[in-house]
């Protein structure tokens, strides 16, 4: 049972009058940022790699066509530079990524799946990890056993509170049938041999951890070429090696994502099919239907899907992309997806992956959710994904240490090493965005700035106590009153007195409750 506490959104009030102009899906007609041609970008994701408080853009390159390095574009608080600030020392045909804290040190590490180079028969390659210890290592710090993998996933199938790593393996183009594998994380040290593998071999394309039956442990979903979408169920930390669920209604899946499309509290499955269709399978009380209840065949060769509440109306919309077809958004209206894109962009080329994140932090909201323990359940899903930041966890008011849980910002789940006892209350304080920006990879990496919300305020500026300071444009006065409840910092980190504020970007700290939010004053 999930108990929601204080679910009202806390919106900043930084002036006597503030008006929000809200649109529906309101994405721009062209990208506001593009990487250079030539790298063949594949994987994309968001995370604060350098620890400066802003989410950076991580891009892997090469796919199955080139030996090129991977890139991180560091967000400086006002823009994403066109040149990468981190370039990997190794060069491989790299594919999709996972960005998580593998060793509980507060830094985000990078997991990369490598497929192999098709012109030479796609010889199997090790998959790699770039460790972050106050800075991302340019060379891999961990290598898997060789394989051909387009996709990796992180989850906690053994329930010990740290991220294990799965790879969907196999390559259809060169006839490499391989087993899906999972590598165990032992307190930040990743095994070099898999502790789990599937009984059968596949042309694997997509790996995904999800608690599909909401019993508190991570099940494993697998998609591939010429194979049924499959789910391997987890029973108290023991993952089956032959899937208990398969859909025979479709064959093949390039990518999958799970989200609650109909608002009934369980996770439905979206699939980018190999051939012509996007599909949606309904979760009925923890059991996926085997026949899709929604599909769209308007776009050739779907390749990627990602759930997000694009228009901030409280339900998940579905972004989709396809090879040589537009990237676009299916809007969710009361649990029903639109029959075709309500927004699209046609210049993306062969689209590979989608990642949502608030790069300019113009829509951040701080909130809390609370969950009741049952003595067994370890994994808890937040209402919002992606999550921008998790500030703290408490069980019955006692802080949960970083070493005692793991989480995935992109999927919005938390997994604890010790299950909360029956009737214990787990409280999660986190930040999400109501104005998510869209990053995609295809012929090049691109970024679309969401134009959903514009904040306009008038008259005098004041800062009420216990207010959440979200990114807001202040068109009225240019000063903030003195108060012992908050401190103001400029973009360099220097504390600024309220009476000395001039137009610019500032950071607000309210006691110990909100670590950093942004105020734009002009």
């Amino acid at each position: 049972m999930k108990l929601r506490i204080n679910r009202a959104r806390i919106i900043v009030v930084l002036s006597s009058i503030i008006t929000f102009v809200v649109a529906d899906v309101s994405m721009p007609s062209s990208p506001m940022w593009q990487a250079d041609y030539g790298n063949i970008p594949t994987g994309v994701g968001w995370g604060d790699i350098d620890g400066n408080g802003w989410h950076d853009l991580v891009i892997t390159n090469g796919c199955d066509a080139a030996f090129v390095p991977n890139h991180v574009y560091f967000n400086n608080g006002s823009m994403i530079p066109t040149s990468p600030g981190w370039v990997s020392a190794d060069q491989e045909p790299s594919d999709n990524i996972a960005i998580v804290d593998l060793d509980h040190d507060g830094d985000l590490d990078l997991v990369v799946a490598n497929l192999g180079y098709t012109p030479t028969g796609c010889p199997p390659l090790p998959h790699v990890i770039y460790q972050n210890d106050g800075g991302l290592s340019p060379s891999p710090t961990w290598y898997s056993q060789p394989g051909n993998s387009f996709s990796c996933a992180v989850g906690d199938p053994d329930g010990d509170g740290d991220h294990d790593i799965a790879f969907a393996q196999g390559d259809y183009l060169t006839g490499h049938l391989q087993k899906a594998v999972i590598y165990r994380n032992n307190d930040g040290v990743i095994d070099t041999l898999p502790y789990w593998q599937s009984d059968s071999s596949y042309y694997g394309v997509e790996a995904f951890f999800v608690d599909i039956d909401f019993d508190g442990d991570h099940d494993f979903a697998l998609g591939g070429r010429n194979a049924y979408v499959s789910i391997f169920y987890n029973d108290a930390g023991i993952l089956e090696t032959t899937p208990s669920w398969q859909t025979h209604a479709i064959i093949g899946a390039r990518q999958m994502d799970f989200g609650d499309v109909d608002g009934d509290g369980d996770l439905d499955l979206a699939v980018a099919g190999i051939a012509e269709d996007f599909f949606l399978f309904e979760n009925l009380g923890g059991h996926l239907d085997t026949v899709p209840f929604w599909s769209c065949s308007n776009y050739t060769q779907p390749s990627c899907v990602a759930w997000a509440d694009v228009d901030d109306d409280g339900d998940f919309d579905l972004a989709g992309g396809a090879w040589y077809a537009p990237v676009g958004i299916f809007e969710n209206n009361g649990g029903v997806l639109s029959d075709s894109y309500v927004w699209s962009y046609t210049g993306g080329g062969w689209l590979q992956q989608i990642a949502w994140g608030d790069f300019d932090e113009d829509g951040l909201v701080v909130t809390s959710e609370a969950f009741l323990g049952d003595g067994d359940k370890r994994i808890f899903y937040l209402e919002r994904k992606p999550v921008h930041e998790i500030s703290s966890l408490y069980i019955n008011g006692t802080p949960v240490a970083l070493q005692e849980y793991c989480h995935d910002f992109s999927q919005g789940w938390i997994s604890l090493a010790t299950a909360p006892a029956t009737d214990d209350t787990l409280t999660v304080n986190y930040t999400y965005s109501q104005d998510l920006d869209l990053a995609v990879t295809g012929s090049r990496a691109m970024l679309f700035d969401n134009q959903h919300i514009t904040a306009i305020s008038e008259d005098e500026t004041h800062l009420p106590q216990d207010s959440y300071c979200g990114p807001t444009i202040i068109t009225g006065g240019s000063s903030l009153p003195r108060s012992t409840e908050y401190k103001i910092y400029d973009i360099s980190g220097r504390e600024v007195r309220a009476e000395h504020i001039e137009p610019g970007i500032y950071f607000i700290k309210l006691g110990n409750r909100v670590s950093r939010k942004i105020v734009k004053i002009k």
Side-chain angles (χ1 to χ4, degrees):
M1 171 181 175
K2 181 164 76 170
L3 173 66
R4 296 185 178 89
I5 296 178
N6 191 25
R7 289 299 302 140
R9 296 177 189 168
I10 310 169
I11 304 297
V12 63
V13 181
L14 284 177
S15 74
S16 57
I17 301 174
I18 184 165
T19 302
F20 285 94
V21 180
V22 180
D24 293 324
V25 175
S26 183
M27 302 295 291
S29 58
S30 60
M32 55 84 65
W33 177 93
Q34 298 184 68
D36 293 334
Y37 280 113
N39 294 315
I40 313 178
T42 311
V44 60
W46 294 99
D48 184 9
I49 303 298
D50 57 2
N52 71 344
W54 297 86
H55 279 203
D56 309 305
L57 185 61
V58 183
I59 304 288
T60 54
N61 296 298
C63 197
D64 61 345
F67 288 86
V68 289
N70 301 312
H71 292 156
V72 177
Y73 297 83
F74 291 115
N75 188 343
N76 63 16
S78 60
M79 62 178 293
I80 303 293
T82 55
S83 297
W86 176 89
V87 179
S88 67
D90 62 320
Q91 300 186 29
E92 304 289 354
S94 295
D95 290 278
N96 289 350
I97 55 176
I99 305 170
V100 292
D101 181 6
L102 292 170
D103 51 4
H104 300 286
D105 65 351
D107 297 321
L108 293 175
D109 311 298
L110 177 59
V111 184
V112 178
N114 288 320
L115 182 62
Y117 188 48
T118 299
T120 59
C122 243
L125 293 172
H127 320 305
V128 299
I129 294 171
Y130 301 93
Q131 198 76 24
N132 191 344
D133 292 312
L136 198 61
S137 169
S139 298
T141 53
W142 176 88
Y143 296 88
S144 75
Q145 296 296 298
N148 300 104
S149 180
F150 189 82
S151 174
C152 57
V154 291
D156 189 16
D158 57 359
D160 61 354
D162 50 28
H163 296 98
D164 305 312
I165 306 171
F167 297 96
Q169 298 196 133
D171 179 60
Y172 174 78
L173 294 175
T174 53
H176 291 146
L177 281 164
Q178 293 167 356
K179 296 182 177 182
V181 294
I182 301 176
Y183 291 83
R184 192 192 303 270
N185 186 339
N186 299 289
D187 232 2
V189 178
I190 312 299
D191 286 346
T192 55
L193 294 174
Y195 90 97
W196 179 94
Q197 61 181 16
S198 59
D199 287 334
S200 298
S201 296
Y202 301 88
Y203 295 127
V205 180
E206 174 75 319
F208 211 106
F209 283 109
V210 59
D211 184 7
I212 196 65
D213 49 7
F214 263 63
D215 63 351
D217 48 31
H218 263 149
D219 311 302
F220 179 60
L222 183 67
R225 288 289 300 260
N226 290 9
Y228 301 121
V229 178
S230 303
I231 292 180
F232 301 78
Y233 279 94
N234 191 337
D235 183 9
I238 305 299
L239 196 64
E240 63 186 6
T241 54
T242 297
S244 292
W245 181 92
Q246 290 183 317
T247 171
H248 292 192
I250 65 171
I251 297 178
R254 283 200 178 94
Q255 283 192 15
M256 300 181 286
D257 198 10
F258 291 82
D260 184 6
V261 67
D262 49 10
D264 62 355
D266 46 32
L267 297 173
D268 308 301
L269 168 61
V271 177
I274 291 293
E276 302 298 324
D277 292 38
F278 294 99
F279 298 95
L280 185 57
F281 294 86
E282 188 174 13
N283 190 334
L284 302 168
H287 300 281
L288 276 179
D289 200 347
T290 57
V291 177
F293 76 96
W294 174 92
S295 65
C296 176
S297 57
N298 296 339
Y299 310 103
T300 303
Q301 297 208 48
S303 56
C304 48
V305 286
W307 292 106
D309 187 1
V310 183
D311 49 9
D312 192 45
D313 64 351
D315 52 32
F316 282 125
D317 309 295
L318 183 65
W323 290 354
Y324 309 106
V327 58
I329 296 170
F330 299 100
E331 187 176 12
N332 188 342
N333 290 292
V336 179
L337 289 184
S338 57
D339 293 331
S340 59
Y341 290 155
V342 298
W343 170 88
S344 63
Y345 174 73
T346 59
W350 51 91
L351 295 163
Q352 299 286 11
Q353 194 170 25
I354 295 168
W356 289 99
D358 189 353
F359 87 95
D360 52 3
E361 303 194 347
D362 62 350
L364 298 187
V365 176
V366 170
T367 190
S368 295
E369 286 188 49
F371 306 83
L372 289 180
D374 63 5
D376 295 317
K377 189 178 182 70
R378 298 170 185 266
I379 292 174
F380 300 88
Y381 280 82
L382 301 170
E383 280 194 352
R384 293 280 185 158
K385 76 168 192 175
V387 172
H388 191 85
E389 180 184 41
I390 294 176
S391 57
S392 57
L393 269 69
Y394 294 88
I395 295 180
N396 297 337
T398 300
V400 180
L402 186 62
Q403 293 74 21
E404 297 175 6
Y405 69 95
C406 61
H407 59 266
D408 186 342
F409 287 143
S410 65
Q411 293 302 317
W413 55 257
I414 294 164
S415 181
L416 289 89
T418 302
T422 300
D423 294 330
D424 277 358
T425 299
L426 169 67
T427 303
V428 184
N429 300 313
Y430 70 99
T431 306
Y432 70 91
S433 176
Q434 57 182 4
D435 196 58
L436 290 165
D437 308 308
L438 174 64
V440 299
T441 52
S443 56
R444 60 166 61 182
M446 296 171 291
L447 175 59
F448 298 85
D449 186 11
N450 194 343
Q451 302 168 349
H452 167 59
I453 291 178
T454 302
I456 305 172
S457 63
E458 301 173 355
D459 299 333
E460 62 178 310
T461 302
H462 67 273
L463 181 63
Q465 293 184 3
D466 298 327
S467 295
Y468 158 63
C469 294
T472 303
I473 300 172
I474 302 173
T475 60
S478 60
S479 64
L480 293 172
R482 298 181 185 181
S483 169
T484 58
E485 295 298 319
Y486 67 88
K487 292 184 178 180
I488 307 168
Y489 301 87
D490 65 18
I491 198 167
S492 68
R494 180 175 59 88
E495 186 175 344
V496 180
R497 293 176 63 87
E499 61 267 30
H500 294 158
I501 285 187
E502 296 179 354
I505 297 176
Y506 295 90
F507 301 95
I508 304 293
K509 182 177 180 180
L510 287 170
N512 294 320
R513 189 169 61 86
V514 179
S515 60
R516 179 188 54 78
K517 293 297 159 227
I518 305 154
V519 176
K520 297 179 182 177
I521 297 178
K522 67 179 183 180

